[in-house]
Amino acid sequence: MVRRKEKDGLACLTQTAEGACRAARLLYSALEDFEPARLPEHLREGQQIVHAVDNGRREAVNGLLHAFITPVEREDILRLAGELGEVTVQAVEALSGFHSLAVWSVREEALPLAAAVRGGCESLLRAMEAFPNFRKSPKAVLKETEEARRQQREGGALYERAVRRLFQTSGDPSARSVWQELYGRIREAGDACGRVACTAEYVIIKNT
């Protein structure tokens, strides 16, 4: 079992995963109820989430510098926190694309892609919440990381179908280019979730 001081060393992982979830939920809700005029507002919120995650990671670095006991190697904690932060950035970047590329409506294939990112982030949050007890109950974490990777695979399949349908139904080269870029950005956020899941599994295997 992980002692109290050791648990404190993992607190940044839950906090960072919460930030990733907030960004993914923002992406999904903005696309579900799409209003181009509200995109600047959504992006300001997204940037606030990114800054909060960055600040939390810096605090974690300072805490780890002075920690005598950590449940896993400091490098592994920072790697997980960094990868979770990347999920946050990618989700906000995906949303930013709808503003910078001046999109006025959302193709129906975009929402399931965003839902896969949101689902992956929620699985990662549950995994990070269970992480302090990974030595006692590794399966609790691994169940959620497997679900995050399943969501990543589902997102990849959704991306392929979305691009195929785009080229089947749109004769406008400019629209094709825009939507291929937007689908790709959302997929990148999903792939970032998968990387976190793989790293978490590696850390557990190394320490059990």
Side-chain angles (χ1 to χ4, degrees), residues 77-138:
I77 296 174
L78 291 177
R79 180 179 173 185
L80 278 168
E83 290 182 354
L84 284 163
E86 185 62 20
V87 174
T88 308
V89 170
Q90 292 290 348
V92 174
E93 282 294 313
L95 182 57
S96 175
F98 287 84
H99 180 60
S100 61
L101 295 173
V103 173
W104 293 97
S105 62
V106 173
R107 290 178 66 94
E108 63 181 276
E109 294 84 5
L111 199 59
L113 269 170
V117 175
R118 182 186 61 178
C121 286
E122 289 171 349
S123 292
L124 291 177
L125 175 57
R126 291 190 293 269
M128 294 304 105
E129 289 172 340
F131 208 85
N133 295 316
F134 74 89
R135 287 194 179 92
K136 182 179 179 181
S137 304

Side-chain angles (χ1 to χ4, degrees), residues 9 12-13 16 55-65 77-78 81:
C12 69
L13 297 182
T16 311
N55 290 337
R57 187 175 183 277
R58 282 195 293 270
E59 291 175 4
V61 170
N62 291 333
L64 289 170
L65 285 173
I77 296 174
L78 291 177

Side-chain angles (χ1 to χ4, degrees), residues 25-75:
R25 290 166 185 160
L26 175 65
L27 172 64
Y28 181 86
S29 63
L31 299 187
E32 183 181 37
D33 187 19
F34 190 71
E35 296 181 36
R38 293 193 63 196
L39 284 174
E41 173 190 342
H42 293 318
L43 291 175
R44 283 192 295 272
E45 182 180 350
Q47 287 304 318
Q48 289 172 356
I49 295 170
V50 171
H51 291 322
V53 168
D54 285 343
N55 290 337
R57 187 175 183 277
R58 282 195 293 270
E59 291 175 4
V61 170
N62 291 333
L64 289 170
L65 285 173
H66 299 93
F68 292 102
I69 300 173
T70 57
V72 297
E73 292 180 6
R74 292 171 174 82
E75 293 83 355

